[in-house]
Amino acid sequence: MNRITLTVAMLCGAVVIGCAQTPSTPQATKYGDGELPIPPEYKSWPKFLSDVQRTDTKQVREIYINPIGNSAKMGEAFPNGTVSVMEIYKAREASDGTPLKGADGKLIKGELLKIGVMGKGAGWGETVNPPELRNGDWVYAMYLSDAKTKAPDDLATCRSCHLPLTDKDYVFRYDEYFQKRAN
Ligand code: HEC
């Protein structure tokens, strides 16, 4: 429990009435790796990128970004409160393991394997150890397809792969996103 939630809980204990809700917005709660939940409404968010072709890993990915993140301008870092959700689908394969392709030459989305999330908030990166693996204030989590059960991924691997992208706010396909976005 972080300090803000704790304070509210203490106030609620004293007051009781009018305390039905504790703060649950990303800004009010400080998350570390593995703690950031998948917001249930993420499919209604703006698309970050759609139908990302990963022939190397035989996957197709759908990436969403929340409206706070979508308000960033090209060249800027994403604001605190940004959350990005990435669905990872297995690409369909022929019986010999060759990836199947549609008439458009693209991989065909099969079953949903996992859902990854990254989000940033003031001071969230401070919990990261070792500090050399800090990605600014971003934290990471990976779930199975139910969006609730934690996937067995080592979250340090997320950090080390995204780490070199310091001038893109640790976000892969930063340029592609801003170039494809309508404005
Ligand atoms: C080996 C490199 C690598 C590792 C490890 C990795 N990622 Fe990524 N991540 C990428 C790439 C590349 C993309 C861009 C989409 C694509 O091409 O698949 C991406 C995109 C994302 C996105 C969408 C937003 C963005 O930055 O573009 C999220 C969310 C994400 N990764 C979360 C995670 C999580 C959580 C983990 C650890 C469980 C993780 N990643 C591990 C390479 C990596």
Side-chain angles (χ1 to χ4, degrees):
M1 209 187 282
N2 68 47
R3 215 177 300 131
I4 300 162
T5 318
L6 190 63
T7 312
V8 172
M10 284 159 67
L11 286 172
C12 288
V15 182
V16 184
I17 297 158
C19 274
Q21 284 186 329
T22 49
S24 62
T25 58
Q27 291 95 324
T29 308
K30 237 184 196 181
Y31 292 104
D33 278 349
E35 296 173 352
L36 188 65
I38 307 271
E41 75 285 7
Y42 80 86
K43 277 181 188 273
S44 68
W45 290 353
K47 264 290 170 66
F48 181 88
L49 285 173
S50 198
D51 210 18
V52 176
Q53 302 284 300
R54 290 292 304 262
T55 20
D56 55 335
T57 57
K58 296 185 189 172
Q59 292 170 349
V60 179
R61 298 173 168 193
E62 297 290 334
I63 311 175
Y64 298 82
I65 187 158
N66 69 352
I68 296 177
N70 202 48
S71 71
K73 305 268 183 302
M74 189 166 200
E76 295 176 354
F78 291 96
N80 284 335
T82 297
V83 180
S84 173
V85 170
M86 179 168 70
E87 296 174 334
I88 303 177
Y89 292 87
K90 185 176 165 49
R92 286 180 52 201
E93 292 173 10
S95 50
D96 65 356
T98 322
L100 295 170
K101 293 203 172 159
D104 56 2
K106 289 183 159 186
L107 297 171
I108 304 167
K109 225 190 269 174
E111 86 184 277
L112 178 61
L113 296 175
K114 290 195 290 192
I115 310 178
V117 60
M118 59 192 279
K120 68 191 288 195
W124 291 7
E126 287 160 16
T127 59
V128 175
N129 265 310
E132 304 81 72
L133 278 187
R134 271 185 74 164
N135 286 195
D137 273 330
W138 290 101
V139 297
Y140 295 82
M142 186 65 85
Y143 297 90
L144 300 183
S145 58
D146 65 3
K148 289 189 175 69
T149 312
K150 283 191 184 144
D153 298 62
D154 174 2
L155 300 173
T157 62
C158 325
R159 300 198 154 277
S160 29
C161 191
H162 283 248
L163 184 64
L165 299 157
T166 44
D167 61 341
K168 304 291 174 197
D169 198 17
Y170 307 97
V171 170
F172 278 97
R173 299 183 185 259
Y174 178 102
D175 293 337
E176 202 179 326
Y177 160 65
F178 283 104
Q179 279 152 16
K180 283 194 180 164
R181 204 174 71 177
N183 49 51

